[in-house]
Short mmCIF file of all heavy atoms in Angstrom, two decimals:
data_model
loop_
_atom_site.label_atom_id
_atom_site.label_comp_id
_atom_site.label_asym_id
_atom_site.label_seq_id
_atom_site.Cartn_x
_atom_site.Cartn_y
_atom_site.Cartn_z
N TYR A 89 -13.06 -4.09 4.81
CA TYR A 89 -11.72 -3.76 5.44
C TYR A 89 -11.31 -2.41 5.08
O TYR A 89 -11.57 -1.91 3.96
CB TYR A 89 -10.67 -4.76 4.92
CG TYR A 89 -10.90 -6.15 5.39
CD1 TYR A 89 -11.29 -7.18 4.59
CD2 TYR A 89 -10.55 -6.54 6.74
CE1 TYR A 89 -11.31 -8.44 4.90
CE2 TYR A 89 -10.80 -7.88 7.22
CZ TYR A 89 -11.05 -8.82 6.26
OH TYR A 89 -11.26 -10.12 6.70
N ASP A 97 7.21 7.40 -2.10
CA ASP A 97 6.48 8.58 -2.49
C ASP A 97 6.89 8.96 -3.91
O ASP A 97 7.53 9.91 -4.14
CB ASP A 97 6.86 9.74 -1.43
CG ASP A 97 6.11 10.94 -1.67
OD1 ASP A 97 5.17 10.92 -2.57
OD2 ASP A 97 6.38 11.86 -0.99
N ILE A 102 2.28 5.42 -6.76
CA ILE A 102 1.15 5.57 -6.02
C ILE A 102 -0.13 5.29 -6.96
O ILE A 102 -1.04 4.68 -6.59
CB ILE A 102 1.12 6.94 -5.38
CG1 ILE A 102 2.22 7.17 -4.42
CG2 ILE A 102 -0.24 7.30 -4.80
CD1 ILE A 102 2.46 8.63 -4.02
N ILE A 105 -0.59 1.56 -7.82
CA ILE A 105 -1.11 0.82 -6.68
C ILE A 105 -2.59 1.05 -6.49
O ILE A 105 -3.36 0.19 -6.46
CB ILE A 105 -0.36 1.12 -5.34
CG1 ILE A 105 1.09 0.51 -5.50
CG2 ILE A 105 -1.04 0.54 -4.27
CD1 ILE A 105 2.08 0.98 -4.41
N ILE A 106 -3.00 2.36 -6.44
CA ILE A 106 -4.36 2.67 -6.36
C ILE A 106 -5.17 2.15 -7.60
O ILE A 106 -6.26 1.52 -7.40
CB ILE A 106 -4.52 4.23 -6.30
CG1 ILE A 106 -4.01 4.83 -4.94
CG2 ILE A 106 -6.07 4.64 -6.44
CD1 ILE A 106 -3.88 6.21 -4.87
N ALA A 112 -9.23 -4.36 -8.92
CA ALA A 112 -9.61 -5.61 -8.25
C ALA A 112 -10.76 -5.50 -7.18
O ALA A 112 -11.15 -6.50 -6.63
CB ALA A 112 -8.30 -6.00 -7.44
N ALA A 114 -11.25 -2.63 -4.76
CA ALA A 114 -11.17 -1.73 -3.55
C ALA A 114 -11.46 -0.26 -4.01
O ALA A 114 -11.51 0.04 -5.22
CB ALA A 114 -9.76 -1.72 -3.07
N GLY A 118 -20.08 4.08 -3.09
CA GLY A 118 -21.26 4.62 -3.86
C GLY A 118 -21.03 4.57 -5.40
O GLY A 118 -20.57 3.56 -5.86
N GLU A 137 20.81 -9.81 5.57
CA GLU A 137 21.41 -10.63 4.61
C GLU A 137 20.36 -11.41 3.65
O GLU A 137 19.31 -11.87 4.28
CB GLU A 137 22.40 -11.71 5.27
CG GLU A 137 23.54 -11.05 5.95
CD GLU A 137 24.51 -10.33 5.04
OE1 GLU A 137 24.73 -10.80 3.92
OE2 GLU A 137 25.02 -9.18 5.53
N GLY A 138 20.66 -11.56 2.44
CA GLY A 138 19.95 -12.34 1.47
C GLY A 138 18.78 -11.39 0.90
O GLY A 138 18.12 -11.84 -0.02
N PRO A 141 17.16 -5.14 -1.64
CA PRO A 141 16.30 -3.94 -1.36
C PRO A 141 16.02 -3.15 -2.61
O PRO A 141 16.94 -2.94 -3.58
CB PRO A 141 17.20 -3.25 -0.40
CG PRO A 141 18.59 -3.72 -0.62
CD PRO A 141 18.47 -5.09 -1.07
N THR A 145 21.08 -0.39 1.49
CA THR A 145 22.24 -1.45 1.33
C THR A 145 22.14 -2.45 2.53
O THR A 145 21.82 -2.10 3.61
CB THR A 145 23.67 -0.59 1.54
OG1 THR A 145 23.65 0.40 0.59
CG2 THR A 145 24.88 -1.57 1.37
N GLY A 147 22.82 -4.72 5.50
CA GLY A 147 23.48 -4.40 6.76
C GLY A 147 23.43 -2.94 7.19
O GLY A 147 23.92 -2.73 8.31
N VAL A 149 21.10 0.64 8.07
CA VAL A 149 19.82 1.30 8.33
C VAL A 149 19.53 2.32 7.22
O VAL A 149 20.41 3.11 6.73
CB VAL A 149 19.68 1.98 9.59
CG1 VAL A 149 18.42 2.76 9.80
CG2 VAL A 149 19.83 0.98 10.80
N ARG A 151 16.46 4.90 5.19
CA ARG A 151 15.27 5.66 5.29
C ARG A 151 14.97 6.46 4.01
O ARG A 151 15.83 6.76 3.18
CB ARG A 151 15.49 6.80 6.35
CG ARG A 151 14.32 7.68 6.66
CD ARG A 151 14.71 8.70 7.73
NE ARG A 151 14.80 8.18 9.09
CZ ARG A 151 15.13 8.88 10.13
NH1 ARG A 151 15.18 10.21 10.02
NH2 ARG A 151 15.38 8.32 11.24
N ASP A 153 11.50 8.70 1.66
CA ASP A 153 10.15 9.22 1.78
C ASP A 153 9.14 8.18 1.23
O ASP A 153 9.34 7.51 0.27
CB ASP A 153 10.02 10.47 0.79
CG ASP A 153 10.82 11.69 1.31
OD1 ASP A 153 11.06 11.71 2.62
OD2 ASP A 153 11.26 12.49 0.51
N PRO A 162 -14.16 -4.44 0.03
CA PRO A 162 -15.05 -5.53 0.51
C PRO A 162 -14.32 -6.81 0.81
O PRO A 162 -13.36 -7.16 0.09
CB PRO A 162 -15.93 -5.68 -0.74
CG PRO A 162 -15.73 -4.52 -1.68
CD PRO A 162 -14.31 -3.96 -1.34
N GLU A 164 -14.97 -9.69 0.30
CA GLU A 164 -14.91 -10.80 -0.71
C GLU A 164 -13.95 -10.57 -1.80
O GLU A 164 -13.60 -11.43 -2.54
CB GLU A 164 -16.31 -11.00 -1.37
CG GLU A 164 -16.82 -9.68 -2.14
CD GLU A 164 -17.73 -8.81 -1.14
OE1 GLU A 164 -17.66 -9.06 0.09
OE2 GLU A 164 -18.47 -8.09 -1.72
N ALA A 172 -3.25 -8.09 -6.41
CA ALA A 172 -3.00 -7.00 -7.45
C ALA A 172 -2.00 -5.94 -6.94
O ALA A 172 -1.19 -5.50 -7.80
CB ALA A 172 -4.47 -6.39 -7.65
N GLU A 180 10.40 -5.39 -2.34
CA GLU A 180 10.55 -6.91 -2.31
C GLU A 180 9.61 -7.57 -1.32
O GLU A 180 9.01 -8.50 -1.51
CB GLU A 180 11.93 -7.27 -1.88
CG GLU A 180 12.37 -8.69 -1.57
CD GLU A 180 13.73 -8.92 -1.33
OE1 GLU A 180 14.37 -8.06 -0.62
OE2 GLU A 180 14.25 -9.96 -1.63
N THR A 183 4.15 -4.31 2.56
CA THR A 183 3.34 -4.24 3.73
C THR A 183 1.93 -3.80 3.41
O THR A 183 1.78 -2.64 2.95
CB THR A 183 3.98 -3.22 4.78
OG1 THR A 183 5.28 -3.56 5.11
CG2 THR A 183 3.10 -3.09 6.11
N PHE A 186 -4.94 -5.13 6.57
CA PHE A 186 -6.31 -5.20 6.47
C PHE A 186 -7.02 -5.10 7.90
O PHE A 186 -6.78 -5.98 8.69
CB PHE A 186 -6.65 -6.50 5.81
CG PHE A 186 -6.47 -6.60 4.33
CD1 PHE A 186 -5.16 -7.10 3.94
CD2 PHE A 186 -7.46 -6.47 3.39
CE1 PHE A 186 -4.84 -7.12 2.65
CE2 PHE A 186 -7.06 -6.51 2.08
CZ PHE A 186 -5.80 -6.84 1.75
N ILE A 187 -7.74 -3.99 8.07
CA ILE A 187 -8.35 -3.76 9.39
C ILE A 187 -9.89 -3.82 9.20
O ILE A 187 -10.44 -3.17 8.32
CB ILE A 187 -8.03 -2.41 9.94
CG1 ILE A 187 -6.55 -2.17 10.00
CG2 ILE A 187 -8.67 -2.12 11.28
CD1 ILE A 187 -5.66 -3.05 10.88
N GLU A 191 -19.81 -2.53 11.36
CA GLU A 191 -21.02 -2.10 10.68
C GLU A 191 -21.86 -1.44 11.71
O GLU A 191 -22.10 -2.03 12.78
CB GLU A 191 -21.64 -3.22 9.92
CG GLU A 191 -20.89 -3.78 8.80
CD GLU A 191 -21.65 -4.79 7.98
OE1 GLU A 191 -22.79 -4.74 7.94
OE2 GLU A 191 -20.90 -5.67 7.53
N VAL A 192 -22.42 -0.32 11.56
CA VAL A 192 -23.36 0.36 12.58
C VAL A 192 -24.65 0.69 11.97
O VAL A 192 -24.68 0.92 10.78
CB VAL A 192 -22.62 1.57 13.19
CG1 VAL A 192 -21.44 1.14 13.99
CG2 VAL A 192 -22.24 2.56 12.22
#
Side-chain angles (χ1 to χ4, degrees):
Y89 290 108
D97 186 6
I102 297 165
I105 290 168
I106 292 170
E137 292 296 324
T145 305
V149 174
R151 184 182 288 182
D153 290 337
E164 62 269 15
E180 180 178 26
T183 302
F186 288 81
I187 309 295
E191 295 184 32
V192 292

